[in-house]
Each structure stands twice: as C-alpha cells, then as structure tokens.
Amino acid sequence: MSYELIGISVLWLFLYGYLIVASIDYGAGFFAFYARLTKQDHLINRLISRYLSPVWEITNVFLVFFYVGIVGFFPDTAYYYGSALLVPGSIAVILLAIRGSFYAFENYGSKENSVYLFLYGATGLLIPASLSVALTLSEGGFIVEEGGAVTLEYLKLISSPLSWIIVALAIVSVLFISSAFLTFYASRADDQPALKLVRTYALFWGTPTIIAALTAFIYLSQHNERHFQNMMDLWWLLALSVGFFMIAMWLLYTGRRYGLAFICVMLQFFSAFFAYGIGQYPYILDPYITIQSGATQESMGIALVIAFIGGLCLLIPSLILVFKLFLFDADYVKGKK
Amino acid sequence: MSELNWSRYLTEMTLAFHILFATIGVGIPIFISIAEWIGIRKKDPHYTLMARRWTRGFVITVAVGVVTGTCIGLQLSLLWPEFMRFAGNVISLPLFLETFAFFFEAIFLGIYLYTWNRFSNPYRHWLLTLPIIIGSSASALFITMVNAFMNTPQGFTLENGRLINLDPLAAMFNPATPSKVAHVLSSAYLTSAFILGMIAAFSMLRGRNNDYNKKSIRLNMITGLILAAATILFGDISAKFLFEKQPEKLAAAEWHFETGSQAALVIGGHLDPITHEITGAIKIPYGLSLLASHDPNGVVVGLNDFPRDEWPPLYVHYLFDAMVGIGFYLLAVPVLFLLISRVKRWNTYNRWILGAILAGGPFSLLAIELGWFYAEVGRQPWILRGYMRVAEAATTNPNTPITFWLFAALYLLLGIVCLVVLGRLFRNKPAELELEERRIIL
C-alpha cells in the first residue's frame, strides 16, 4: 500500500475515533444541561462528570491529531480549506475553546454555575453542527478557486438541503451515541434511576438517527452522483450498518446487555463511516484535491507513517490504562474511589 | 488595513495570550513533581499539600492553554494558507510529534488528577508526574523546532517555487534548534518558579506567616537560582547563534549599523530614525563583540550590509533590553534571598524580599512576552527566512477583521473568567484551612 493511502486510512480511523469519543462528550454536555433544566440533574450529572472529568482533554486531542495529520499528509488541504473556512472555522474553534475551558471552570473550579453549564450544553450541539460543514464541503461545489483566490459560496451552502441534512444527522447521531454510551455506563455503575432516564434518551434518539442517515444518502445522490454510486457498490457495508443498528435498538428495548448494545452502535457508525469514506476515494476535496495529487512528498510521508507507528505504541497502552482505571474499574464507576 | 495586517495582529494576539498559559503549563509539572516527591520522602505533609494545591490551579491554566493552543493550530491554516501549503511539507513531522506529546500529557494528567488515593504505594502516584513532565516539555521542544525552522530553514531544495528533496530530520534539527529549545525550556521553568513563589509571597504579605508558605518560597528560590543562571547562559548561547546565523536580528537588537570589530553594547537610548544616531544610551565598549564572539576584537556584521527591505523593525532593541534586564533581576532575587537566609540576625522573610519575589511573577511573564516578540518581530519581513515573506503567505479572505474581533472577545472572556476562578479557588480555601482539615499542625 502506498504511504498516502496508509496516511488517509489512519486519519480516517482517527476521525472515526473522534466521532465516537466526541459524540459521547458533546451529547453528555447537552444531557447534563437538559437534566438541570428539567430538574433531573441529581440523577445523572454525577455519573456524567465521573466519566468525563478524566478524559475531556483526551477527546480534544483526537481532533487536533486528525487536523495536524491531514495538513501534514496533504498540505493542499490547508490551502483550500484554510482559505475558504476562515469564518466558519474560526467560529467552530471559538466554540470549542469556550466549551473546553468552561468545562474545566465548572468541574475543577470552586462553585457550580448554571451559566457555565449552559455554555457547555449549548456548544455541545453547535460544535458537531459546525464541524460537519467540512464534510459537506468535501463533496464539492461549495469551494471555488478563481484567479488564485479560494472562496466559499455561502449562499449556495446555506440553500443546499444536503448541508442541512448533514447538520441534522450530526446532531441526532451525537445524541444517540452519547445516550447509548451513558446507558452502558449507568448500568455498570448499577445506578437504576440514571439508567432509566438515559435509556429513554437512547430509545428516543435511535429512530431520527436512521431516518436522517437515509435522507442524507438520498440528497447525496442528487449532489454528487459519483460518490453516491461508489457507496452503492459498497451496499453490503451499509446493510451491515443497518443490521447493527437494529441489534442495538433491540438490546436497548429489551433492556439487557447494554455493553453489547453500545458496541453495536459503534459498529453501526464504523461501517457507515467507512462506506462513506471509501466512496469518496480518491477525492479529499472534490475536484481540487485527490489523495495522490495532494499528498506530501515521499520522504515526509514515510517519516509521518513511522511517527504514527511510534506514537501509537505509546498511546495505545496509555489509553488502555485510562480505560482500566475509569471505564472498567467497577468501584470507580460506582463512585467508591 | 489589509488582510495581511489583520492576519498578523490576530496571530500576535493569539500567541501572546497562549504563551502565558503554555509557559506555565510546561513549567509547573516539574514543581508539582518535586513537591510531591519531597513530601513522600520526608513524610512532610506540607509538601504533599503544596503538590495538591498547585495541581488544582494548574488544571485550570492547562484548560485555557489547551483551547488557545487549538486556536493557534487551526489559525496557522486559516490565516497563512499559502505558508502551510509551501512549508507544510517540511515541518509537518515536528507538528505531528507535538500532538503526540500533547496526547501523552493529556492522558496522564487525567489519570494523575483522579488517582490521589488509589495507590497503596505513594511513589506510584508520583511516577505519574513523569509522563506529564515528559509530555509537556516534549511538546515545547517540538513546537520550538517548528519555530526554529522558520528562522533557519534547511532540509530541502527549492525548485520552480516548490520545496523538494525533503529531509524531515534536517529540518527539525536546524541550526536554531538547540539554543532556542534550551532557552525556551529553562525560561519556562524559571517563570513557573517565580509564579509559585509569587503566590506564597503574596499570602505571607497578607499575614499568613506559616511554614507552608516559607517552604514553598525556599523551594522556589533555590530552583529559581539554578534556573535563572541556566536561562542567562542559554540566552548568551542564543546571542552567539544569532551572531553566526542570523546577524540582522542581533544587529537590529543592538542598533549596530556599521560592520566592525570592537563593537559596543548599547543599552537603552533613543534612535534617530533617519540619521541612525543614538542618544542617551549607555554604551559598553567592546560589549557586543564580547557578547557575540567572546572576543573584544570580534567583527560583528551591521545592518547596513543588508538591503533596507530586509531590515527588522528597529524597536526590537527595547524588547531585547527589557528582557535581558528582567533576566538579571530574576537572578538577583534568589541570590539575595539565599544570602539573607544565611545571616541569623536578619528576618529572611522580610517585607522587601517578599515584595521582590512577588514582583518576580509578573516580571517573568513579561520577559517571556518580550523575548517572543523580539524573536518573532526580529525575523521580519520573513515568515520563512530567505524563502517566503510574510506578505506572500497571508490569506486572501476579506473577513479577517471580523475574525480578529471574535477572537479578541474570546480571549477577554477566557482571561477574566480564568482569573476569577483561580482567585476564588484559593481564596475560598486558603492553605491554613486545608491544613487544619487534613489535621496537619502548623
């Protein structure tokens, strides 16, 4: 396999990782705020903060990692996306900054504050919406290069149904993934009231997720025929995704094996996400950047791949340690440590 | 105003804000580690409490450092897309390694925070500080390499406007790397020593005359002495590096126009912008030659040897002088403190010395800002020295002013809330109260 293909595969894997951990985080923020509004916060907020406090910074790194990696492997992405996305990109970064810092202020600071929690909860939905715009842009037609200047056609973007359905899909997926995870976490903590609450969230957000996914797929067929056809060729991956979704919903509904249910949700998104990514091949930004044309030179590409491998040797054991301490240590989850 | 200027101002503002938190973020883990280690070894609960309290404040500053670091990371592409496309090929390796280091630190900081009482052997918890130190210092190392590369680029050849024949390692280990990294790291540790000393000195001046604060000041001043000496030494090495590889930056800092030997060191003063005559300055004969080449007869290249449109702005002289001045102040304070503590009859913790330590905190942060402004403005007009000018690298997007104000509002908000939260964190729970709660006798 050529180095640029390894590069994009690993980056896509990291983006998937970010999709899962960030969804848990963003959704949890929203649920924490929603629960306080409806005066149910005593049920779940302790649970949420027990999980999130040790890991919120790691979540953030996943994004930076993906971003630095794609700019490193494909410097052209910095040029096109960077030039076009000045305003939307800045807004997304500002939201991320507010969210991250106010999480710390709320949790490690000395006093509970509803304004902090509101900022934290609201940004939990706005950030996935704004980040998903980058996926829409990659489909082509919104970024135009003319006379050495790259511009983003805002009007076209705002009036496109595709961009709105992708935003909607991002938001409902976040809520679904997050509630599925919290259900699992609550069951591990053996916290019945919290479990009851988050399980209804998970059951509620499952249906809109699958509807939004199908709708987005239909609009994609109108916007980018090539991408749609490629994905149709990968029909078995999409079918697998729907299958995992159905298993997950059934497990949630019957109220057992929540761990398995969450794994099914992860697999559901994994197969859909990779069908989407493989279908986009060879483009990173249709039609300006392809994986081959945009790649950095070979010596740097190889150096980056080596750095990847070395880094992963360091990261994977550390992440396993985190999981052991905060996710699979029953006493910690129950709040005894 | 042009997109170029707005891009420059926004980058300056982001870096100026980020660097405060980044510097503390690199330095404080060392002190947390030392304090926890002494606490375990000497079974002295004062030091253990010190480590806990410093960690609590540290997390807040790390959060702001992380989010502003994310800002600058993305701004690199948003504001300087041409630069990233041009040079991104050569410098992506250290940028990438930096995120690994950051990842590593993030993981172990999370573990450290939530495992204070989970290990039966206290040294195990202390061991967790080591990956935090490695991660934070390594990310400073890698990101400084990127900056060093922009000052002395190498590891490629230029052909038809594209960089080819890349050598990622040569780009990382460029001539500016060793002196820059050493100076950045030692000054970050030094700054943290004074920030922590400042906090203890502040509470002693407010009348909290207890062993906890005294031990903190003692620890901070002893390490501060070593670190200040190291920082000045690395600064001297950096000046020698400039003399050899980037003479226009040194010449601009010293208002040295005519190439010649026995060059004088200029301190302060005023420069006539047209005649280049210097008035009111203290001149140390042979000083610059000595500083640059360790030889009073050394020949130092002057600015007149460079085309006018490659001159850095000449105000960098003041930044340089102020930074060096503060550097020596930060050396003098610990020396004085240790001398006084040897004299039995005198009160070591008198008001004057506490005041001097207190002032050291803001001064050291100021020196960090001054030093970085000197380093960055001193390589104008280049973004990649000798290859790409800043003007060629900026975005063409006309929305830079809006972006600037959005970020200005963000930093204002973060700065204020961070100070309020930190203030409340320590005011609501002073060390005395916590010592009492933990049944530690003062």
Side-chain angles (χ1 to χ4, degrees):
Chain A
M1 201 151 72
S2 57
Y3 70 90
E4 65 262 20
L5 216 54
I6 299 178
I8 195 73
S9 310
V10 181
L11 287 174
W12 200 244
L13 205 64
F14 258 91
L15 192 60
Y16 167 75
Y18 181 68
L19 178 99
I20 296 293
V21 290
S23 291
I24 294 174
D25 185 2
Y26 293 138
F30 177 76
F31 289 133
F33 175 66
Y34 178 75
R36 188 171 295 179
L37 267 189
T38 53
K39 306 236 179 312
Q40 292 175 304
D41 47 341
H42 58 283
L43 291 178
I44 58 169
N45 281 12
R46 230 177 63 87
L47 185 83
I48 288 176
S49 81
R50 270 199 98 66
Y51 165 73
L52 284 183
S53 299
V55 301
W56 72 271
E57 206 190 334
I58 303 176
T59 309
N60 202 25
V61 185
F62 264 95
L63 177 67
V64 178
F65 200 91
F66 170 76
Y67 160 78
V68 172
I70 195 153
V71 171
F73 264 104
F74 306 98
D76 279 0
T77 55
Y79 174 68
Y80 284 97
Y81 284 108
S83 300
L85 282 174
L86 179 63
V87 174
S90 296
I91 291 173
V93 182
I94 287 172
L95 290 174
L96 274 169
I98 289 178
R99 184 184 162 82
S101 47
F102 277 80
Y103 180 78
F105 296 156
E106 158 90 11
N107 277 275
Y108 311 117
S110 56
K111 196 179 107 187
E112 283 197 358
N113 188 324
S114 277
V115 178
Y116 294 178
L117 196 65
F118 167 72
L119 285 172
Y120 180 61
T123 50
L125 293 189
L126 290 174
I127 294 170
S130 64
L131 290 180
S132 66
V133 171
L135 279 186
T136 315
L137 295 182
S138 73
E139 294 300 334
F142 302 109
I143 292 180
V144 178
E145 187 185 29
E146 245 173 342
V150 177
T151 45
L152 174 62
E153 306 212 313
Y154 286 100
L155 202 67
K156 227 174 176 180
L157 183 70
I158 291 172
S159 60
S160 158
L162 179 68
S163 58
W164 288 107
I165 190 67
I166 288 184
V167 166
L169 176 61
I171 291 176
V172 291
S173 313
V174 158
L175 294 174
F176 179 54
I177 294 173
S178 179
S179 50
F181 174 79
L182 289 174
T183 309
F184 157 66
Y185 203 65
S187 79
R188 269 208 73 87
D190 211 8
D191 184 345
Q192 290 307 325
L195 176 64
K196 224 178 115 197
L197 188 65
V198 287
R199 182 172 156 260
T200 54
Y201 291 163
L203 285 170
F204 180 81
W205 289 109
T207 323
T209 302
I210 206 79
I211 294 175
L214 290 175
T215 321
F217 196 52
I218 292 165
Y219 277 110
L220 182 67
S221 73
Q222 294 178 358
H223 187 88
N224 189 334
E225 178 72 19
R226 180 195 58 81
H227 193 177
F228 176 76
Q229 272 310 324
N230 286 348
M231 281 177 78
M232 284 305 275
D233 295 342
L234 295 165
W235 62 270
W236 55 274
L237 263 178
L238 298 172
L240 218 58
S241 173
V242 176
F244 283 124
F245 169 74
M246 281 167 28
I247 300 173
M249 286 304 277
W250 185 69
L251 287 171
L252 284 168
Y253 182 73
T254 53
R256 57 204 173 127
R257 316 271 324 253
Y258 292 115
L260 187 63
F262 181 66
I263 290 174
C264 285
V265 171
M266 278 173 68
L267 290 172
Q268 171 205 343
F269 279 88
F270 185 85
S271 36
F273 194 69
F274 270 77
Y276 178 89
I278 299 167
Q280 179 70 311
Y281 182 85
Y283 289 101
I284 297 176
L285 172 62
D286 202 346
Y288 298 110
I289 315 173
T290 66
I291 286 171
Q292 284 77 16
S293 77
T296 183
Q297 286 160 51
E298 196 173 353
S299 55
M300 180 51 87
I302 290 169
L304 287 177
V305 170
I306 293 170
F308 254 141
I309 296 167
L312 287 179
C313 292
L314 205 65
L315 287 187
I316 290 170
S318 323
L319 281 173
I320 289 174
L321 184 63
V322 171
F323 284 148
K324 254 180 75 179
L325 287 170
F326 301 116
L327 204 54
F328 296 114
D329 186 314
D331 283 342
Y332 174 80
V333 179
K334 285 176 187 155
K336 286 183 191 152
K337 271 183 184 169
Chain B
M1 233 175 358
S2 63
E3 278 87 52
L4 167 66
N5 278 336
W6 283 108
S7 299
R8 286 186 50 191
Y9 296 147
L10 178 49
T11 310
E12 276 172 12
M13 179 173 67
T14 303
L15 282 173
F17 189 71
H18 172 66
I19 200 70
L20 298 173
F21 295 93
T23 302
I24 296 175
V26 169
I28 302 263
I30 304 245
F31 291 89
I32 293 174
S33 181
I34 295 175
E36 194 185 356
W37 187 72
I38 299 178
I40 300 170
R41 216 187 134 75
K42 290 191 174 171
K43 293 202 169 51
D44 184 336
H46 282 146
Y47 285 100
T48 310
L49 181 67
M50 227 178 265
R52 274 177 182 259
R53 286 174 66 83
W54 288 346
T55 308
R56 238 176 277 152
F58 174 67
V59 188
I60 306 282
T61 60
V62 163
V64 181
V66 167
V67 298
T68 52
T70 314
C71 290
I72 188 65
L74 271 87
Q75 277 176 4
L76 266 182
S77 297
L78 295 174
L79 296 172
W80 312 99
E82 292 277 7
F83 167 71
M84 287 305 280
R85 171 151 82 167
F86 180 67
N89 280 309
V90 202
I91 50 161
S92 44
L93 183 63
L95 274 176
F96 197 61
L97 290 171
E98 198 250 342
T99 57
F100 266 119
F102 174 35
F103 218 141
F104 198 55
E105 183 196 351
I107 288 174
F108 283 94
L109 183 62
I111 299 178
Y112 183 75
L113 284 175
Y114 288 88
T115 50
W116 274 98
N117 296 319
R118 276 176 80 169
F119 301 108
S120 45
N121 181 349
Y123 280 109
R124 282 217 179 155
H125 184 254
W126 171 77
L127 276 177
L128 290 168
T129 59
L130 301 183
I132 299 174
I133 292 174
I134 293 170
S136 59
S137 291
S139 52
L141 166 87
F142 290 125
I143 209 67
T144 308
M145 280 177 164
V146 175
N147 183 271
F149 171 80
M150 291 160 89
N151 280 281
T152 50
Q154 65 170 31
F156 58 85
T157 45
L158 186 66
E159 223 177 83
N160 301 328
R162 264 177 66 94
L163 304 181
I164 57 161
N165 296 331
L166 308 183
D167 181 349
L169 290 179
M172 279 169 75
F173 297 96
N174 60 75
T177 296
S179 56
K180 231 179 182 81
V181 168
H183 197 52
V184 163
L185 286 178
S186 64
S187 61
Y189 303 152
L190 172 63
T191 302
S192 301
F194 268 91
I195 294 285
L196 297 171
M198 169 187 82
I199 297 170
F202 179 75
S203 24
M204 285 195 77
L205 282 169
R206 297 285 297 267
R208 307 209 185 102
N209 202 359
N210 56 44
D211 282 348
Y212 173 84
N213 287 326
K214 284 181 184 168
K215 281 175 183 167
S216 167
I217 289 180
R218 224 186 144 67
L219 171 64
N220 298 139
M221 285 305 109
I222 291 170
T223 45
L225 176 69
I226 302 163
L227 292 167
T231 305
I232 290 171
L233 173 72
F234 293 136
D236 180 59
I237 293 173
S238 300
K240 208 154 289 56
F241 155 78
L242 289 181
F243 161 73
E244 280 166 16
K245 302 281 179 188
Q246 241 181 329
E248 76 278 14
K249 202 189 230 179
L250 185 67
E254 285 302 327
W255 289 344
H256 182 63
F257 296 96
E258 291 298 333
T259 301
S261 66
Q262 305 178 354
L265 193 70
V266 180
I267 297 172
H270 173 78
L271 182 75
D272 186 310
I274 295 153
T275 61
H276 292 153
E277 237 165 80
I278 302 163
T279 45
I282 304 165
K283 288 192 178 179
I284 302 172
Y286 307 107
L288 183 57
S289 288
L290 265 174
L291 180 76
S293 60
H294 284 188
D295 171 10
N297 293 316
V299 177
V300 183
V301 181
L303 270 181
N304 287 343
D305 284 15
F306 294 89
R308 265 297 165 100
D309 66 341
E310 288 181 15
W311 283 20
L314 293 174
Y315 70 81
V316 293
H317 172 70
Y318 299 111
L319 307 179
F320 184 75
D321 280 4
M323 171 189 76
V324 174
I326 293 175
F328 280 98
Y329 174 84
L330 297 179
L331 179 68
V333 172
V335 169
L336 213 63
F337 171 83
L338 291 174
L339 283 179
I340 293 176
S341 68
R342 298 230 141 205
V343 182
K344 287 253 158 58
R345 283 180 298 129
W346 292 349
N347 174 15
T348 313
Y349 302 90
N350 64 62
R351 274 178 50 223
W352 297 104
I353 196 81
L354 289 177
I357 296 170
L358 180 71
F363 273 158
S364 57
L365 282 176
L366 180 65
I368 296 283
E369 295 282 1
L370 291 167
W372 272 111
F373 268 95
Y374 165 59
E376 295 303 277
V377 177
R379 75 183 149 96
Q380 291 299 316
W382 301 107
I383 191 165
L384 195 59
R385 183 175 169 271
Y387 293 93
M388 189 184 228
R389 283 172 187 258
V390 177
E392 301 164 280
T395 181
T396 49
N397 194 311
N399 294 322
T400 39
I402 312 169
T403 321
F404 176 87
W405 293 114
L406 280 175
F407 276 103
L410 172 73
Y411 302 143
L412 192 68
L413 176 79
L414 288 185
I416 292 172
V417 180
C418 181
L419 284 179
V420 169
V421 169
L422 280 178
R424 203 164 48 201
L425 196 63
F426 291 106
R427 224 182 10 258
N428 285 359
K429 213 171 191 189
E432 295 74 35
L433 191 71
E434 218 172 325
L435 288 168
E436 223 166 275
E437 273 174 19
R438 292 175 186 280
R439 294 169 208 288
I440 302 163
I441 297 149
L442 281 170

